[in-house]
Amino acid sequence: MKLSLRFVLPLILVLAAIAYIVAPLVDQLTLRWFMRDLDMRSSLIANTIQEPLLDLLEADKRTKIVDFFNRITKDERLYAIGYCASSAGTALASRSMPPDIHCTNLDRWASSPDHLMHSPQGPLLVSVMPMASAATPDARLVLVHDMSFITHRSEETKRYLFYFFMGLALVISLVTVIVAQLSWRGWMAGVRSLLRGEGLLWQLAAGVQPSMPEFKPIARDLQRLVRELEAETRARDEDQITWSPESLRSILHSELRGEDVVVVSNREPYLHQRKGTRIEVQRPASGLVTALEPIMRACSGTWIAHGSGSADREVVDKHDRIAVPPEKPAYQIRRVWLTREEEAGYYFGFSNEGLWPLCHIAHVRPTFRTSDWEQYVAVNRKFAKAVVSESRTKNPIILVQDYHFALLPKMIREELPDATIITFWHIPWPNPESFAICPWRNEVLEGLLGSSILGFHTQFHCNNFVDTVDRFIEARVDRESFTVSCGGKPTAVRRYPISISWPPEADLMAKPVSDCRRDMRQANGLPLEHKLGVGVDRLDYTKGIMERFRAIERLLELNPEWIGRYTFVQIAAPTRSGIEEYQHHETQVRNMAMRINERFSARGVPPIVLKVEHHEPREVYEYFRAADLCFVSSLHDGMNLVAKEFVAARDDDRGVLILSQFTGAARELPEALIVNPYDADQCAAALHIALTMPTEEQRDRMRLMRGLVAEFNVFRWAGRMLLDAAAMRRRSHLIGKNGGGAI
Ligand code: G6P
């Protein structure tokens, strides 16, 4: 509307100016036309009256002539009429003849081009016509026309002209406004449809190759330009942010207007366990929990998870909620209860016997059962209901976590179409051939594509996912922008390497390193100078614990000087013990440790101390700080946060990290000793190097690694996702405001 007014006002002004210039011109033109008409009229009158006038003149009836003239001038336009026999005589004229006209000055009127005369009555037109006869060859007839009607007509014409131009301005304005409105609506509809993925602009914006071939070269250039600009802006923005709980909170408030964040994961951050008459609070061993807990402390909101602690039901309110952390509540856990059958099918079955080995490719065959799948679908639906009931707005921000909830994004999308759903897949994504094993692969893929953003730790896993989609389902895949559209809104597939909180919680670092070294050695009956290695994992076959033990055995074979001088403490948190494969694995690990200990124990100290029990983060950090090295030998791991925690724990810049090349962390921490866990000799050599590494080299490597973990901490991981989500929401809000759907 504003736009239309901006156009209409100047238009009216221009038209008024035109009217102002045109009116006098039109006036003059019409005056000329009238004068020509009157001249013709004069000839007509002269011809008509010539005969009777000559008759009267011949009869010399002068009075009758004057009467005759007076009668004729009753015509409203003919003002006066007169007759001059010669230029010297007196005129025979009607009463109305102006005194300025007499026979002696007739030539003046005859020769004047406009023969106009201005009298008190108004303008008069004087026409002089010859009226010759044999007796009077110079006789002339004078006809004086009243021109005042022309003035009236001229004013009328001006008035009409004014109305005409005003009308014209009005019509043009109306047409302009209507056309502008129509084309604006059309344009907006166009933009909306394009943004919905139906046209060129969206395709350009989303980085999709346009369907019209003639636009392809332009599109490619534009897309490159947009990407470069985005990358530059992103890099600049990120450089300026020091990622901390405060910066995350401020992003939430400034970019997302303080929206509540809802997290959904299978594992809960705090379990309440009954120990006799007491209820103990436990923090589970889970990389996912390690990463997300500080985020929730910073953001508040609600964390929906399976209530799996033995005393969980006893401590929740009537809405199944409990505020945590217990010492200083900052957010809510909403517990979802599962029956034994549900847990068996969804958690132990489809998630951990199916998807877990499928994605890790750690030489354990995946098992897929229809009954497990049915429970998986049912439990995902149960969590979808919980998400909807916990969402206070129509467009909440929902962070869906991990492979337990592959179907959840689509289910949430069906209930809350405007929600921003960020799904993070914490484990690797295999190549399409491997994923093809899953009998419900299409449902899993379509479920995940309900997300607005789907995150993986590495670009390699993003590529595998996009390849898998491309291979198996009907979806528009764009590899330049890494977006996938499957029916509805597009899903951005992005790399967000997960990390840990930085700096680590103060109480985890409270005990000095020297005290930790002493206490941990004492606790395990080891001499104070004894070299100590540490491994901290769930007792999971993907962690390569047996390969680690094999490497220790090989070290002692190759470098027997370490026998009795070096011990490796393996903290192994019991996990998924309902699954046969895990029970089998535990037995194997225990037997192997026993065998190696029998072979290489000396001076009363074993080379391996295996602790199959739950340890709270405080104890784990004590071991990290006490150790000379930490060995992470995963056979395949999305990221592995133990590696980053070890680095964070070493504020003394000491200790060596040996890290499997098959972890996501190996891409970020090249200063670690990177090994292939399947190569026992190489790992043994790395152990020897670590045990003999000069302190300066330890310090240099550790400082670089600590710098990286500090900068790329978990607040950056979450912040980056939330910033991307905020940008998406801004775009969708813009379109929604104009009647379109969200993207
Ligand atoms: C991995 C998974 C997490 C899981 C954790 C512990 O890190 O990605 O989702 O919570 O293992 O496993 P659990 O089965 O005990 O939750």
Side-chain angles (χ1 to χ4, degrees), residues 308-321:
S308 57
S310 53
D312 272 1
R313 282 179 197 260
E314 297 174 44
V315 293
V316 292
D317 66 11
K318 63 176 191 300
H319 303 290
D320 299 325
R321 294 194 196 119

Side-chain angles (χ1 to χ4, degrees), residues 396-524:
I397 301 159
I398 300 165
L399 305 181
V400 177
Q401 304 301 312
D402 231 351
Y403 59 99
H404 310 91
F405 295 118
L407 308 180
L408 196 55
K410 188 176 173 203
M411 289 175 176
I412 299 172
R413 176 71 66 225
E414 280 160 8
E415 295 295 321
L416 299 168
D418 295 330
T420 302
I421 306 169
I422 306 173
T423 304
F424 196 80
W425 194 261
H426 290 256
I427 62 174
W429 189 277
N431 57 45
E433 290 73 27
S434 305
F435 195 77
I437 294 170
C438 177
W440 296 279
R441 64 186 184 207
N442 290 12
E443 287 85 340
V444 167
L445 293 171
E446 282 161 12
L448 285 170
L449 291 175
S451 316
S452 319
I453 298 175
L454 175 58
F456 296 94
H457 295 297
T458 67
Q459 191 57 43
F460 184 64
H461 298 148
C462 294
N463 297 350
N464 278 351
F465 176 79
V466 171
D467 288 348
T468 312
V469 168
D470 214 5
R471 184 81 62 87
F472 299 117
I473 60 169
E474 279 288 320
R476 193 170 60 201
V477 171
D478 180 61
R479 283 172 189 280
E480 288 209 50
S481 63
F482 256 73
T483 49
V484 179
S485 308
C486 175
K489 298 169 182 183
T491 302
V493 181
R494 295 274 179 278
R495 166 184 170 263
Y496 301 101
I498 206 167
S499 195
I500 55 167
S501 174
W502 189 277
E505 281 174 44
D507 70 319
L508 298 178
M509 308 285 280
K511 199 175 199 179
V513 167
S514 54
D515 293 4
C516 295
R517 287 182 73 85
R518 185 197 59 219
D519 292 354
M520 291 299 100
R521 281 167 179 75
Q522 268 177 9
N524 290 285

Side-chain angles (χ1 to χ4, degrees), residues 267 285-288 347 356 402-404 426-427 538 575-576:
R267 185 59 63 204
S286 155
L288 177 156
Y347 173 74
W356 179 268
D402 231 351
Y403 59 99
H404 310 91
H426 290 256
I427 62 174
R538 285 178 306 106
T575 183
R576 305 170 193 172

